[in-house]
């Protein structure tokens, strides 16, 4: 488990480590309403698919406490509005919608209970989502660690660590578990332009754990692969379609193509909650477009000429054929991915 808290429930607030300020400042931001939680997700105070899901669930639980009615129909209407607000924060990470659906399902199960009881149940559900995420990432980490050689240089992109989840990580969960298993692992972290999650967050998180990490710019990955300096790639995912196509941070697709060219295994570490069988293929995944100023500026400072036209697709899609395996808490899915993913999800469903 990480030595810091990404997300915490304070009863009257959701506490988030402010990831915009890392690594310079380690501060917790208290969000005291569902609206403040929604803005924190939009502004990337908290980011990473599982972490967004956990935070949204807590935001809904917090908002439900503040709904000023004891009348069931009015309460349900206000609850639905809270869910809609959370759903509008970021479009790509399916864990957000998965967590919202769980909160909705819990409300349905509590139908007929007193409003005070419903509020308590929603809080319980949000806390369970958080707790389960940590357990799931630990299990996923163990599955992935088995794929890591005893001595390995692992390339990763963005931050799929404790900062991106309830507190253990997916891609970095695999790294943590490999280290716990006594393997000698070194991480090569792509800086991940434009928001620099790799440089700012992955390096910070791994340094805190004492796991060796070396930073590269995104454009250096091909060079290192060509020289035989990368043993495997492990990244996270924001959404995996039924076909096995994977949406993840912009730049992931290029890494997958490079890895294939150099015969380097390319693994995606993702909990089952990131697999979305309702999305048929990668082209059906909504790709978030963010403010181009995140491209023309670095840390708020303009680096391109004033008036520069810039694009900012925040994610890309890696076709299933480039993926060596999808590491989940229920096992590793390999080609053909469509059938393997369907099998893993069927096995996981409560009977
Ligand atoms: O824009 P971000 O920082 O939310 O993007 C995060 C990623 O792309 C992660 O790789 C993904 O969400 C998996 S996090 C375990």
């Amino acid at each position: 488990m990480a030595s810091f808290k990404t997300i915490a429930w304070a009863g009257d607030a959701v506490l988030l480590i402010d990831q915009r300020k890392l690594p310079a400042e380690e501060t917790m931001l208290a969000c005291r309403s569902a609206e403040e939680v929604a803005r924190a997700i939009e502004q990337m105070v908290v980011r990473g698919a599982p972490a967004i899901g956990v935070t949204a669930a807590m935001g809904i639980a917090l908002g439900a406490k503040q709904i000023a009615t004891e009348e069931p129909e009015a309460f349900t209407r206000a609850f639905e509005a809270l869910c809609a607000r959370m759903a509008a924060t970021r479009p790509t990470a399916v864990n957000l919608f998965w967590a919202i659906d769980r909160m909705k399902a819990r409300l349905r199960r509590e139908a007929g209970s007193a409003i005070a009881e419903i509020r308590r149940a929603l809080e319980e559900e949000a806390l369970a989502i958080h707790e389960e995420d940590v357990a799931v990432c630990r299990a996923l980490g163990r599955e992935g660690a088995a794929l890591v050689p005893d001595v390995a240089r692992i390339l990763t992109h963005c931050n799929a660590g404790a900062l991106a989840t309830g507190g253990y990580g997916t891609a970095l969960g695999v790294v943590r578990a490999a280290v716990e298993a006594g393997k000698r692992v070194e991480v090569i972290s792509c800086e991940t332009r434009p928001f620099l999650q790799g440089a700012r967050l992955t390096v910070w998180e791994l340094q805190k754990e004492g796991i060796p990490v070396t930073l590269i710019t995104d454009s250096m990955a091909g060079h290192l692969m060509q020289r035989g300096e990368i043993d495997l790639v492990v990244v996270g995912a924001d959404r995996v379609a039924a076909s096995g196509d994977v949406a993840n941070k912009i730049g992931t697709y290029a890494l997958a193509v490079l890895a294939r060219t150099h015969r380097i295994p390319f693994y995606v570490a993702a909990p089952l909650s990131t697999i979305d069988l309702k999305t048929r293929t990668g082209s059906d995944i909504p790709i978030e477009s963010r403010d181009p100023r995140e491209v023309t500026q670095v840390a708020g400072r303009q680096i391109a000429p004033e008036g520069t036209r810039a694009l900012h697709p925040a994610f890309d899609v890696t076709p299933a054929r480039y993926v060596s395996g999808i590491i989940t808490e229920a096992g590793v899915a390999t080609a053909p991915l469509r059938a393997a993913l369907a099998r893993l999800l069927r096995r996981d469903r409560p009977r």
Side-chain angles (χ1 to χ4, degrees), residues 183-198:
K183 302 192 176 188
R184 275 187 27 225
V185 170
E186 185 192 337
V187 174
I188 313 295
S189 171
C190 291
E191 66 172 350
T192 320
R193 275 282 289 152
F195 207 65
L196 301 174
Q197 291 94 328

Side-chain angles (χ1 to χ4, degrees), residues 152-155 186 188 223-232 264:
R153 293 155 301 181
I154 304 180
L155 183 109
E186 185 192 337
I188 313 295
H223 174 70
L224 293 186
M225 289 188 192
Q226 192 179 47
R227 290 163 65 114
E229 291 176 26
I230 304 293
D231 299 305
L232 69 160
I264 296 167

Side-chain angles (χ1 to χ4, degrees), residues 51-130:
I52 292 171
V54 170
T55 304
M58 285 188 186
I60 291 168
L62 180 65
K65 280 185 150 187
Q66 296 169 351
I67 295 172
T69 179
E70 302 299 312
E71 198 279 307
E73 270 180 29
F75 181 88
T76 303
R77 270 198 306 278
F79 172 86
E80 290 292 339
L82 284 176
C83 293
R85 175 67 185 97
M86 289 301 159
T89 52
R90 295 193 72 189
T92 306
V94 77
N95 304 62
L96 170 66
F97 307 99
W98 172 89
I100 293 170
D101 283 350
R102 259 188 72 162
M103 296 300 280
K104 286 183 177 174
R106 184 64 188 255
L107 181 79
R108 281 196 299 275
R109 287 208 302 282
E110 299 297 328
S113 307
I115 297 295
E117 189 49 37
I118 293 175
R119 290 193 175 103
R120 199 199 51 73
L122 291 171
E123 175 174 337
E124 185 181 271
E125 192 69 20
L127 297 183
I129 290 173
H130 188 195

